[in-house]
Amino acid sequence: MDNDKLQQTLRKLNWEARHWKRTRGRQTENAFLTDIDHLDPDFAKALMDRGIETGALLDIGTGSGNQAIQFATLGFDVTATDIARIGVVDAIENAIATGVAIRFLEDDITRTALTETFDVIADRGCYTLLPEETLPAYVTSVARLMRPDSFLLLKVDRKKKGRVDQLLERLTLVETWESTYPLESEPLKASFFVLRINHP
């Protein structure tokens, strides 16, 4: 096994463990990824402000699938991915329970197997949590998966908002605002970005 493949496997196992602990209340680290039962208001605002009501949408790092379910309920054709298989299984069960049709896939966005393109890509925390050395691969993958005039809607821990600079090599910043991740204890400061693909 080459080193890249080994690192990918270790990341996957780490996410499997984190997801299992988080969904069972045994881990509060990175708790902003804990699923909320409604569409994150920042994503709702970004879509509403641009009049985006339908289209192909990719939800990266879907976790238990609650945000993907909200997007599908609005009328989007949703593909939702997560590196953790246990997360994908939970997400499928949750989608079945709510009666919405979503394509869930186990996938590592830094080495994605996806080939189709999307009108909207949503990321509520994946980019924040990726190891620094994998960010260029994320940027390459996301840019390849975006259709002309499509949008990346990105929410990050405010302490890591500087990571967005790497995305600006391929994308244009349209709008940004300060926000929070709602937590039971106290809100975690976040930054939200609306970015558009640069196509020649």
Side-chain angles (χ1 to χ4, degrees):
M1 181 181 294
D2 63 47
N3 187 60
D4 285 348
K5 187 66 175 176
L6 175 61
Q7 292 302 316
Q8 181 189 30
T9 301
L10 291 174
R11 280 201 311 275
K12 182 180 181 319
L13 290 172
N14 181 45
W15 278 110
E16 295 274 2
R18 285 186 179 189
H19 179 86
W20 191 90
K21 290 178 181 179
R22 191 167 61 244
T23 56
R24 287 152 182 82
R26 299 186 184 183
Q27 178 174 329
T28 57
E29 180 188 2
N30 299 324
F32 62 85
L33 289 181
T34 300
D35 289 307
I36 54 177
D37 60 3
H38 57 274
L39 183 61
D40 184 307
D42 292 310
F43 290 88
K45 168 179 165 49
L47 293 170
M48 183 177 64
D49 287 354
R50 281 151 194 85
I52 305 172
E53 299 179 349
T54 59
L57 184 147
L58 173 64
D59 181 30
I60 300 172
T62 195
S64 295
N66 284 357
Q67 292 303 296
I69 290 168
Q70 297 302 319
F71 289 129
T73 300
L74 289 176
F76 288 92
D77 178 13
V78 179
T79 297
T81 66
D82 202 286
I83 194 172
R85 181 174 299 176
I86 190 171
V88 173
V89 171
D90 284 352
I92 291 171
E93 292 175 352
N94 291 335
I96 290 172
T98 56
V100 295
I102 298 171
R103 183 174 65 141
F104 289 103
L105 299 171
E106 181 184 348
D107 186 69
D108 178 354
I109 189 61
T110 67
R111 300 167 63 101
T112 185
L114 293 171
T115 57
E116 65 268 53
T117 55
F118 299 89
D119 300 299
V120 178
I121 296 180
D123 180 343
R124 191 171 180 266
C126 179
Y127 192 62
T128 285
L129 300 177
L130 284 174
E132 192 75 28
E133 66 272 13
T134 66
L135 299 185
Y138 175 102
V139 174
T140 298
S141 292
V142 165
R144 180 172 60 78
L145 296 174
M146 295 180 72
R147 294 175 180 169
D149 298 321
S150 61
F151 291 95
L152 169 64
L153 308 181
L154 179 69
K155 191 167 187 174
V156 300
D157 183 337
R158 199 178 301 176
K159 290 179 294 192
K160 295 186 177 180
K161 64 186 296 184
R163 288 184 165 205
V164 172
D165 291 344
Q166 294 199 41
L167 286 160
L168 299 181
E169 297 175 10
R170 301 289 298 274
L171 308 176
T172 297
L173 179 62
V174 176
E175 187 178 7
T176 183
W177 60 84
E178 300 306 298
S179 183
T180 60
Y181 288 104
L183 300 179
E184 290 184 2
S185 54
E186 61 179 293
L188 176 69
K189 293 179 180 179
S191 297
F192 193 88
F193 299 88
V194 179
L195 300 111
R196 201 163 199 164
I197 186 65
N198 293 331
H199 278 299

